[in-house]
């Protein structure tokens, strides 16, 4: 079995396993106590904090351990907003932040605060100029991830941090995806991370608050972790997290170069092997092991199940794989195809042979899924027996992705050049996938209209 979902959770690093087992015997006592066992636990905790701080590039007393990366994000945003409440209650986030950031923004808005969501381009990158434009006199905090968790695009953190610093606004960076590969550049103010993303154990996050940043922890707290993470520390897991972060950093440069070569291979070969595929995300400024692509006329959930049957564990941002039946907010913000979406995120140590086998299996798997759905052939042409009319209506109400797009592709050849197809759909994914199909197939997307049920999407044939 080839595990290609390291962006969700990376396999436990051998150093993490060793440190975890060793510290179970030494780190069980309360590090706040003054007796021998407590002092021994305190020494382990202090050493782990120093190691993590060195890896992050901060002072040890600026770093707190939390119960997860999500908790670190929630505590960081709430504390920064609380500390700057006198300045105002305006929060800035990018449209592709991790759900932990967006959920915090939702709560902030419900409690009377205001939120500006900065758009991204088709590569998934936010512009520093857009952050500068979003800043206001009452802006209390801005947030920007270091790299995107779904498509791998790296963000211009240093440039955005400079813009925020000039305006006197702290910047919180969610560095969960990138911290294992290196420090985050720029004059940021707060930073969060999650150990299971870099090969540490789950249940350990870290929150860094630079000296001089106004910060007021919200909710019940105690004396532990500077009052920023209440509760007894999971010391063995913390020790393992810090040890694994140091270990992966020592291997990062060499492994990053190797994984980039493998993902470049996937980015180049997938469009050659599989017709009607869109590779998404920045081709250069991206995480070493992440590559994401979307396949037309494919049910994402079925594709993932079939790849799993073939021995590959991958992830997806397709609406077909979620209980909400809506495309991932990341793909939606980028305006790219969501159906048949596959995210390959290679863990350190991935063998080239596994990648080559994936490239062998993928084409036949996509063909199989497309055949089951009755998808059209890769080329669209006017059928000789077709009755040509100027306009057609495709009723795809009640049908989920990718059926509306499949039905559109089947009939586009039945209208002359200049003719239109009106697709009726109540699937949220159609708003993203029909325009994406038009761009990929050289047709004109003419917009949408309200319909008695759902929405009518207008497509004009131009070729």
């Amino acid at each position: 079995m080839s595990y290609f979902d390291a962006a969700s959770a990376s396999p436990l690093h051998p150093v993490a396993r060793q440190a975890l087992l060793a510290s179970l015997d030494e780190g069980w006592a309360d590090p706040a106590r003054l007796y021998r066992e407590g002092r021994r636990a305190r020494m382990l905790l202090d050493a782990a904090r120093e190691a993590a701080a060195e890896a992050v590039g901060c002072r040890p007393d600026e770093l707190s351990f939390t119960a997860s990366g999500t908790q670190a994000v929630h505590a960081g945003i709430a504390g920064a907003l609380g500390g700057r409440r006198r300045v105002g209650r305006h929060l800035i986030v990018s449209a592709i932040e991790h759900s932990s950031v967006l959920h915090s923004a939702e709560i902030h808005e419900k409690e009377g605060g205001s939120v500006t969501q900065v758009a991204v381009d088709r590569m998934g990158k936010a512009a520093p100029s857009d952050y500068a434009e979003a800043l206001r006199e009452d802006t209390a905090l801005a947030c920007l991830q270091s790299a995107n968790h779904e498509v791998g695009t790296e963000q211009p953190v240093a440039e955005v941090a400079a813009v925020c610093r000039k305006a006197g606004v702290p910047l919180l960076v969610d560095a969960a995806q990138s911290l294992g590969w290196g420090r985050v550049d720029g004059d940021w103010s707060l930073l969060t991370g999650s150990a299971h993303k870099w090969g540490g154990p789950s249940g350990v996050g870290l929150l860094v608050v630079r000296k001089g940043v106004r910060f007021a922890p919200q909710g019940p707290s105690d004396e532990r972790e500077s009052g920023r993470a209440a509760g007894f520390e999971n010391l063995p897991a913390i020790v393992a997290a810090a040890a694994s972060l140091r270990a992966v950093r020592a291997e990062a440069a060499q492994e990053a170069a190797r994984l980039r070569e493998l993902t470049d291979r996937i980015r180049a070969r997938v469009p050659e092997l599989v017709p009607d595929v869109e590779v998404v995300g920045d081709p250069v400024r991206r995480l070493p092991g992440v590559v994401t692509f979307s396949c037309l006329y494919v049910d994402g959930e079925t594709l993932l199940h079939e790849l799993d049957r073939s021995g590959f564990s991958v992830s997806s941002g397709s609406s077909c794989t979620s209980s909400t039946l809506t495309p991932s907010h990341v793909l939606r913000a980028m305006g790219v195809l969501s159906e048949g979406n596959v995210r390959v995120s290679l863990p350190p140590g991935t063998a080239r042979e596994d990648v080559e086998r994936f490239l062998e299996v993928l084409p036949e798997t996509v063909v199989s899924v497309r055949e089951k759905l009755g998808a059209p052939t890769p080329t669209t042409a006017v059928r000789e027996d077709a009755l040509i009319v100027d306009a057609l209506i495709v009723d795809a109400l009640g049908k989920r992705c990718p059926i509306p797009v499949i039905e559109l592709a089947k009939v586009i050849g039945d209208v002359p050049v200049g003719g239109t197809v009106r697709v009726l759909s109540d699937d949220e994914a159609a708003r993203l996938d029909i325009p994406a199909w038009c761009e990929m197939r050289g047709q004109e997307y003419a917009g949408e209209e309200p319909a008695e049920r759902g929405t009518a999407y207008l497509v004009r044939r131009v070729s």
Side-chain angles (χ1 to χ4, degrees):
M1 191 73 182
S2 298
Y3 180 77
F4 286 177
D5 195 23
S8 292
S10 191
L12 194 66
H13 194 282
V15 168
R17 185 182 301 276
Q18 295 169 5
L20 182 63
L21 293 175
S23 57
L24 286 173
D25 292 330
E26 298 293 327
W28 53 268
D30 187 346
R33 301 297 176 233
L34 298 179
Y35 42 70
R36 181 183 307 167
E37 294 85 355
R39 294 197 304 272
R40 187 180 301 136
R42 169 56 66 179
M43 290 176 62
L44 288 172
L45 180 59
D46 289 345
R49 197 184 312 278
E50 289 176 4
E54 193 279 330
V56 171
C58 67
R59 293 170 36 159
D61 59 351
E62 294 175 330
L63 187 148
S64 301
F65 291 108
T66 65
S68 68
T70 295
Q71 187 190 68
V73 167
H74 291 170
I77 292 177
L81 290 172
R84 286 175 51 82
R85 195 179 181 94
R86 291 184 178 180
V87 173
R89 303 198 64 193
H90 179 230
L91 171 66
I92 302 173
V93 300
S94 83
I96 59 170
E97 293 298 312
H98 187 268
S99 58
S100 59
V101 173
L102 299 182
H103 290 162
S104 289
E106 289 173 8
I107 294 297
H108 177 63
E109 205 163 23
K110 287 179 181 178
E111 294 177 346
S114 60
V115 177
T116 295
Q117 201 170 93
V118 174
V120 297
D121 62 19
R122 197 171 175 83
M123 294 293 103
K125 187 184 300 181
S129 58
D130 289 341
Y131 267 81
E133 186 177 340
L135 289 166
R136 306 186 326 207
E137 289 187 1
D138 63 338
T139 301
L141 177 68
C143 300
L144 179 64
Q145 59 188 191
S146 56
N148 185 256
H149 50 291
E150 288 195 26
V151 300
T153 298
E154 294 178 339
Q155 300 298 329
V157 171
E159 295 91 333
V160 172
V163 167
C164 292
R165 179 67 66 179
K166 184 177 181 180
V169 174
L171 177 69
L172 182 147
V173 179
D174 170 16
Q177 292 295 334
S178 71
L179 205 52
W181 298 109
R183 293 181 177 181
V184 177
D185 293 333
D187 195 11
W188 45 265
S189 301
L190 303 97
L191 180 142
T192 63
S194 186
H196 74 275
K197 302 291 188 180
W198 66 66
S202 58
V204 179
L206 55 84
L207 168 62
V208 177
V209 181
R210 294 284 201 191
K211 291 295 181 183
V213 175
R214 291 187 177 276
F215 192 90
Q218 303 297 293
S221 63
D222 58 28
E223 71 280 1
R224 300 177 189 275
E225 297 303 305
S226 303
R228 294 169 186 165
F232 199 98
E233 297 94 343
N234 185 351
L235 189 52
I238 288 173
V239 171
S244 59
L245 181 56
R246 175 181 287 178
V248 299
R249 282 292 188 80
E251 306 160 354
Q254 181 176 354
E255 192 61 21
R258 199 179 69 84
L259 291 185
R260 283 190 189 280
E261 183 180 348
L262 294 179
T263 52
D264 285 344
R265 170 77 172 161
I266 296 173
R267 288 183 67 92
R269 289 294 289 155
V270 167
E272 296 173 355
L273 297 169
V274 183
D276 294 320
V277 165
E278 181 178 18
V279 182
V280 300
D282 194 290
V284 178
R285 289 194 57 170
R286 57 185 173 83
L287 293 169
V290 178
V291 55
T292 305
F293 56 89
S294 298
C295 307
L296 272 177
Y297 319 131
V298 170
D299 173 354
E301 186 169 9
T302 301
L303 180 57
L304 263 59
H305 283 318
E306 291 300 315
L307 288 172
D308 182 49
R309 285 160 57 95
S310 298
F312 296 97
S313 302
V314 298
S315 184
S316 174
S318 171
S319 61
C320 309
T321 62
S322 69
S323 59
T324 61
L325 294 177
T326 58
S328 101
H329 69 279
V330 173
L331 300 179
R332 188 167 60 243
M334 293 169 63
V336 297
L337 182 69
S338 74
E339 64 186 47
N341 179 261
V342 175
R343 180 188 68 184
V344 174
S345 48
L346 307 177
T350 298
R352 173 178 288 275
E353 293 76 16
D354 289 342
V355 170
E356 293 301 329
R357 190 167 66 87
F358 174 77
L359 292 172
E360 292 176 3
V361 167
L362 181 67
E364 60 189 53
T365 304
V366 173
V367 168
S368 174
V369 174
R370 284 174 172 168
E371 287 179 348
K372 290 177 183 178
L373 293 171
T377 57
T379 58
T380 300
V382 179
R383 299 189 298 273
E384 293 183 2
D385 60 346
L387 177 63
I388 302 298
V389 294
D390 289 334
L392 285 176
I393 295 177
V394 172
D395 186 351
L397 293 168
K399 299 176 182 178
R400 300 302 173 188
C401 72
I403 300 303
V405 176
I406 289 176
E407 296 302 320
L408 165 63
K410 285 180 177 179
V411 303
I412 191 68
D414 292 348
V415 298
V417 172
T420 61
V421 176
R422 194 167 182 259
V423 183
L424 302 178
S425 176
D426 51 6
D427 182 7
E428 181 64 26
R431 180 167 282 111
L432 192 61
D433 291 346
I434 289 177
W437 178 88
C438 291
E439 182 165 330
M440 293 174 69
R441 300 311 305 272
Q443 308 300 341
E444 179 187 349
Y445 178 63
E448 63 180 66
E449 299 174 347
E452 185 175 341
R453 283 183 57 205
T455 303
Y457 301 93
L458 306 181
V459 176
R460 183 172 292 108
R461 185 181 174 198
V462 297
S463 63

